[in-house]
Each structure stands twice: as structure tokens, then as C-alpha cells.
Amino acid sequence: MVIIILGAQGTGKGTVAGIISENTKLLQLSTGDIFRKNIKEQTPLGIEANKYIANGNLVPDDITVPMVVSYLDSEMAKNGVILDGFPRSLAQAEKLDEILEKRGKKVDLVVNLTTPRDEIIDRILTRRVCSNQQCRATYNLKMHPPIKEGICDKCGANLIQREDDSSKEAIQKRLEIYDNQTAPLVEYYRKKGILRTEEVSVRINRLGKQVAFDIIKDIENK
Ligand code: AMP
């Protein structure tokens, strides 16, 4: 099974994908997390990717696509994947269809998370992530704070703010890129009849956690 979680930054893609992955056999494949792990370890991929990420730009497809393929073809993905942060453009979506088709697979479900823009900016600025790359838990200082300030509930490592979350300019740029390059994917997948839109917002008291458990229920009933 291949599931894509779509949505602008700060809508809770990582949270939803993480909960689904923990409760199913699907591998969470987060391109942003893989890039951050490589940046931390200063691998050649990380050094190259960081030139784009630090400024809020997309990493070019000739770096991103082969990286995704290597995970899709790995043993870890044998039961299926939940893609979080990929595809991010029509070119990537078409490439993904091509890659899956060659392997006798297809995208089964696309979950489109929507959140009002003012809530998104507030969420990104108050987001904290676990510094332990094996854990990668995400917190929000207002909505979902850790029990002990600055410490991950799950593994005890320090919580940090992502570099690209700390600058308003980088956040704005990422949202602009989302509107211009990623938002058209909503229509692309709607036309294929596999799109499921879910509003995630404190205003309607619907959080990513609830969305994730609803999706898990539906997957299990299929
Ligand atoms: P994310 O954690 O999904 O917000 O990703 C963080 C950053 O990694 C993005 O702002 C991009 O610079 C880069 N990135 C993640 N996924 C992709 C992708 N599919 N294509 C290009 N760049 C990506």
C-alpha cells in the first residue's frame, strides 16, 4: 500500500504519518527527515541538500528522486509506505507514478491536510522536534508540549527548533513554494479519485492525531 500525506508546512503531516506508521506495517518515508539526518551527519547528500533547505528552497529532483527510490526499494518498505513530504510538485508526482508502475504498484490514497494559514504560521514557530534522528518525535509548545520542558517524552533527548522553522522569511518562502508547486497536486489526485481532504484545526477541535486514527480504522476495514 502506498499512502501520500499532502499539506502545507505545519498542517501536521509528520504527526499523522508517524501515528499511522506506528500502528500499521507501513514505513514512514519523510524526505525532510531523511535530509535532516544527512545534514546532521554531514554526508555529501546532506551538505548538498542543505544549500537549498537552509534558504527554504526545494532540493532539486536529481537529488530527491533517487533518494526516495532507494527507500522505496528497500526491505523496510516491503509492507508499503506512507510518504510525507514527497511528492511536492507535479513533476515529482508524475515521476512517482512512473516508478510505482514499473514495480506493479500505485498510489492508493492521498490524504490532503488543510489548516488555516494564521494557525499554520503559529504552529511552525512553536514546533519543536526531537534531536534524536531515530526518534524524530514532534511537539508543539502550545498544543502538544512535552511533559518536561525541552526534553522528548519518548526518548529523553533534547528538543530543538528546526533551523528552517526559526526564520519567518524561510517559512513564508516555503509556504509560497507550497502554493505554487505543491497545491496543484490536490487537483492531480482528485482527478484520480484517490484524494481524501481532512481539515486539521484547533478551531474545529480536530487534531492530526484524530485524523490519523480515523485513517488507520479505514485501512484496517479494507
Ligand atoms: P519538510 O520537513 O517536509 O518541511 O522538508 C524540509 C525541507 O526539505 C523542505 O523545505 C525542502 O527544502 C526539502 N524537501 C523535503 N521534501 C522535498 C521534496 N519532495 N522535494 C524537494 N525538496 C524537499
Side-chain angles (χ1 to χ4, degrees), residues 31-32 35-36 53 57-59 64 85-86 88 92 162 164:
T31 40
F35 284 136
R36 279 185 287 280
I53 296 177
N57 288 314
L58 290 185
V59 179
T64 308
F86 185 92
R88 253 180 157 92
Q92 288 186 358
R162 279 170 45 175
D164 57 350

Side-chain angles (χ1 to χ4, degrees), residues 185-200:
L185 295 186
V186 172
E187 210 36 49
Y188 180 80
Y189 290 118
R190 196 196 312 277
K191 281 191 192 142
K192 288 181 184 280
I194 50 173
L195 189 82
R196 167 175 175 160
T197 294
E198 291 278 357
E199 186 172 359
V200 179

Side-chain angles (χ1 to χ4, degrees), residues 59-79:
V59 179
D61 287 358
D62 59 350
I63 300 175
T64 308
V65 175
M67 179 182 88
V68 170
V69 171
S70 74
Y71 276 83
L72 284 176
D73 287 342
S74 73
E75 181 65 17
M76 295 180 293
K78 68 173 192 296
N79 295 311

